[in-house]
Amino acid sequence: MSSHSLTSPEIFQHIRIVMGMVVGLSVTRLLNGLVRIIQHPKQTRIYLVHIGWVLTLLLMLIHFWWWELWLVELSSWTFEIYLFLVIYAIVLFFLSAFLFPDSINDYTGYEDFFISRRKWFFSFFALTIVFDLIDTLIKGPAHYAMFSIEYWFRIPVYLILCGIAFVSVNRRFHMGFVTLGLLYEISWIIRHFETLQ
């Protein structure tokens, strides 16, 4: 009887299936929420900041699935790394659920809902920043060296902004945060993730 030792790419493909299931649920949640708004525009008052975070999170989820392909180069896999990646995907799902709950009947609209639940949303958003850092470190020095000093600057800036958003109900701040966040995310992807080479 011959034994077969799984290679790193084979292990990664196995793990990627589980991650894909959770990411798929997150994208589905967001798309269903957007479709519900389009189908019933007068049913619930929309809020541009809320829509902005929906679009940002959609982009983050698509980006997450794209950049995690780099894990195929990981030479050694452990259960801890696998568990970390699954929890990372679950945190992204929680963010999706916080943007589109099963019902917002207890609120006057998406603005009231978002501002009321912002502490949960930005706590988990800050958690994704920390998870992104750990994920980058897992991929090794050659990976995070390609981002230069900008990467190490953006992490504390995002955490500070999340802290402010956690305590502030200032509508202008929230509009500015989501606008700059979405534009920066697009810029970051174009500059660093257009190809996976």
Side-chain angles (χ1 to χ4, degrees):
M1 178 183 293
S2 62
S3 61
H4 175 64
S5 178
L6 292 174
T7 64
S8 180
E10 289 174 322
I11 296 171
F12 170 69
Q13 293 302 329
H14 174 71
I15 292 172
R16 200 161 186 253
I17 292 172
V18 179
M19 291 166 56
M21 289 165 51
V22 182
V23 171
L25 288 171
S26 304
V27 171
T28 300
R29 185 104 184 188
L30 294 176
L31 293 180
N32 281 339
L34 286 174
V35 168
R36 197 161 58 241
I37 289 174
I38 293 170
Q39 290 177 335
H40 308 285
K42 296 180 180 179
Q43 190 175 71
T44 310
R45 291 170 56 192
I46 65 170
Y47 179 40
L48 288 180
V49 171
H50 171 260
I51 296 296
W53 282 117
V54 171
L55 297 177
T56 301
L57 189 54
L58 262 175
L59 184 60
M60 285 176 61
L61 288 163
I62 295 167
H63 183 206
F64 174 80
W65 192 240
W66 175 249
W67 90 59
E68 290 300 6
L69 187 61
W70 263 314
L71 286 169
V72 74
E73 297 179 355
L74 200 64
S75 59
S76 177
W77 281 91
T78 63
F79 181 78
E80 289 79 11
I81 294 175
Y82 161 70
L83 184 61
F84 165 78
L85 292 169
V86 172
I87 293 174
Y88 192 172
I90 289 172
V91 169
L92 290 169
F93 173 79
F94 268 73
L95 276 176
S96 303
F98 291 147
L99 286 174
F100 284 116
D102 293 332
S103 172
I104 62 166
N105 291 336
D106 295 334
Y107 305 92
T108 58
Y110 280 108
E111 180 177 1
D112 181 33
F113 162 73
F114 182 80
I115 294 299
S116 299
R117 310 312 296 169
R118 72 187 187 284
K119 292 183 178 180
W120 280 101
F121 180 81
F122 288 109
S123 294
F124 273 73
F125 191 82
L127 195 57
T128 66
I129 306 302
V130 176
F131 271 57
D132 178 71
L133 172 61
I134 298 170
D135 179 81
T136 300
L137 295 174
I138 286 173
K139 290 168 183 162
H143 177 75
Y144 57 75
M146 64 186 257
F147 299 133
S148 73
I149 194 67
E150 180 186 356
Y151 180 76
W152 307 104
F153 178 73
R154 77 193 288 266
I155 293 171
V157 169
Y158 262 116
L159 291 176
I160 290 170
L161 290 172
C162 283
I164 296 171
F166 181 93
V167 298
S168 175
V169 296
N170 185 290
R171 269 54 171 181
R172 288 185 178 180
F173 169 80
H174 282 280
M175 180 60 78
F177 186 10
V178 72
T179 301
L180 291 175
L182 179 56
L183 293 175
Y184 180 76
E185 188 70 18
I186 293 170
S187 167
W188 179 256
I189 292 171
I190 292 173
R191 289 183 292 116
H192 295 289
F193 293 90
E194 188 173 1
T195 61
L196 294 178
Q197 296 178 351

